[in-house]
């Protein structure tokens, strides 16, 4: 079980009302076809179904996530043509392209933003959309922070670099929605809350000490370094049909 995220359906640093507003901003044609790689609890697909009656596929390699998606589908959208596949996202080969391909917070699947944009473009019709949730450096990270996060400086880029990253792939960035402190605090503090409650309700869990210490370590990393250093943003890119501007 994923104790950290047990109080939230959106597993990325964006508060619920803002994320739902973003879903409306997309203004998709009804019945669009969507793929979401690293779909977590399926919230993006469920929300798009509610607004646009989309169909699509959610993919995640965590059995817990896929069980949760299937369980939630029965409750939220039993009639929806949405399938959830338990598999590694990098092995997914679509039969035909989608109107929108998405990866929110799992670009490591294709070794970072560049590989992710290439992979998602391969799944999308020209004229379609790519939705990518990706970190960016707000300031140069310290060595201590990189060590605690187990990433290197080149794992992520600046916001400016992320916006332009798709340019030579004919992907035009058309919208950005960065997370602010309220979004990040919403996301991070709900982990503390979830672990605190879990400890009281499951005092005999043999993993409890490890879960508690993980929470303390991630809280320390966030408060001391991450809050001022690491940004996060939802980027929307359009797969440009016409590119002959010279
Ligand atoms: C940070 S969570 C984001 C979940 C969801 N996109 C959201 O924003 O609510 C990352 C998700 O990616 C999944 N994941 C990690 N590696 C993956 C892989 N190689 N293939 C598919 N899913 C993967 C994890 O299981 C997790 O559910």
């Amino acid at each position: 079980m994923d104790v950290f995220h047990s109080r939230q359906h959106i597993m990325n640093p964006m508060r619920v009302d803002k994320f739902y507003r973003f879903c409306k901003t997309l203004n998709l044609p009804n019945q669009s076809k969507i793929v979401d790689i690293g779909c977590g609890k399926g919230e993006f697909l469920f929300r798009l179904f509610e607004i646009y009656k989309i169909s699509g596929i959610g993919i995640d390699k965590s059995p817990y996530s896929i069980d949760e998606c299937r369980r939630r589908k029965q409750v939220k959208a039993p009639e929806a043509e949405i399938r959830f596949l338990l598999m590694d996202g990098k092995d997914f080969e679509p039969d035909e392209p989608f109107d929108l391909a998405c990866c929110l917070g799992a670009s490591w699947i294709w070794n970072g933003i560049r590989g992710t944009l290439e992979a998602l473009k391969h799944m999308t019709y020209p004229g379609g959309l790519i939705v990518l949730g990706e970190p960016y450096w707000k300031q140069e990270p310290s060595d201590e922070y990189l060590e605690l996060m187990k990433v290197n400086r080149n794992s992520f880029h600046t916001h400016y670099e992320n916006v332009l990253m798709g340019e030579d792939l004919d992907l035009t960035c058309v919208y950005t929605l960065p997370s602010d402190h309220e979004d990040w605090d919403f996301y991070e503090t709900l982990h503390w809350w979830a672990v605190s409650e879990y400890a009281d309700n499951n005092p005999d869990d043999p993993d409890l000490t490890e879960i508690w210490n993980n929470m303390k370590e991630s809280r320390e990393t966030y408060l001391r370094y991450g809050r001022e250093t690491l940004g996060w943003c939802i980027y929307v890119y359009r797969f440009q049909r016409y590119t002959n501007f010279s």
Side-chain angles (χ1 to χ4, degrees):
M1 162 181 193
D2 178 357
V3 176
F4 267 48
H5 290 102
S6 59
R7 291 186 68 92
Q8 47 207 156
H9 293 135
I10 300 168
M11 295 159 67
N12 70 61
M14 191 155 291
R15 56 191 189 268
V16 175
D17 57 332
K18 187 166 160 184
F19 188 73
Y20 292 170
R21 180 160 51 82
F22 167 70
C23 292
K24 287 194 177 146
T25 303
L26 285 171
N27 198 18
L28 299 175
N30 274 345
Q31 282 148 16
S32 293
K33 281 185 57 188
I34 317 282
V35 63
D36 184 358
I37 314 254
C39 64
K41 299 185 184 183
E43 185 65 12
F44 188 46
L45 289 169
F46 293 136
R47 185 49 58 159
L48 295 183
F49 176 74
E50 199 178 299
I51 308 172
Y52 308 109
K53 296 287 169 266
I54 60 103
S55 59
I57 300 179
I59 291 168
D60 205 289
K61 78 164 192 188
S62 148
Y64 167 76
S65 286
I66 292 297
D67 283 352
E68 185 68 357
C69 286
R70 290 178 179 155
R71 187 193 64 73
R72 296 187 74 221
K73 180 177 183 302
Q74 291 309 315
V75 178
K76 293 184 77 71
E79 74 281 29
E81 283 181 35
I82 298 174
R83 289 185 296 141
F84 290 102
L85 307 180
L86 176 62
M87 63 184 289
D88 194 312
K90 76 176 175 325
D91 298 330
F92 178 65
E93 278 295 332
D95 297 334
E96 51 179 348
F98 292 84
D99 301 302
L100 184 155
C102 163
C103 178
L104 290 170
S107 67
W108 57 80
I109 296 174
W110 300 277
N111 297 319
I113 180 172
R114 177 74 191 187
T116 303
L117 287 177
E118 285 168 353
L120 296 182
K121 177 185 169 184
H122 175 64
M123 301 176 196
T124 312
Y125 282 115
L129 297 178
I130 287 171
V131 173
L132 181 69
E134 180 70 9
Y136 66 90
W137 296 125
K138 293 204 288 194
Q139 60 177 19
E140 278 304 309
S142 64
D143 291 343
E144 296 95 315
Y145 182 49
L146 292 174
E147 205 168 302
L148 284 164
M149 289 277 286
K150 300 180 185 63
V151 297
N152 62 57
R153 167 64 183 80
N154 298 328
S155 303
F156 307 128
H157 300 79
T158 63
H159 179 61
Y160 174 75
E161 288 166 335
N162 284 351
V163 167
L164 297 188
M165 191 65 74
E167 211 89 323
D168 62 324
L169 296 170
D170 300 334
L171 301 177
T172 307
C173 186
V174 292
Y175 188 71
T176 65
L177 187 62
S179 293
D180 58 19
H181 273 154
E182 184 180 345
D183 293 308
W184 272 101
D185 284 4
F186 175 78
Y187 180 66
E188 295 287 337
T189 60
L190 286 185
H191 299 165
W192 313 344
W193 197 330
V195 172
S196 164
E197 279 181 344
Y198 185 82
D200 279 355
N201 294 334
N202 300 274
D204 300 327
D205 182 338
D207 297 329
L208 186 55
T209 304
E210 190 186 342
I211 293 169
W212 189 266
N213 288 338
N214 284 344
M215 182 272 282
K216 280 175 61 180
E217 189 181 312
S218 101
R219 185 180 63 187
E220 189 75 3
T221 305
Y222 174 62
L223 291 176
R224 284 173 68 93
Y225 306 101
R227 201 164 184 267
E228 302 305 329
T229 306
L230 193 68
W232 202 80
C233 183
I234 296 183
Y235 298 91
V236 181
Y237 303 84
R238 271 197 80 247
F239 184 171
Q240 197 73 44
R241 273 199 217 101
Y242 181 80
T243 55
N244 191 8
F245 298 107
S246 53

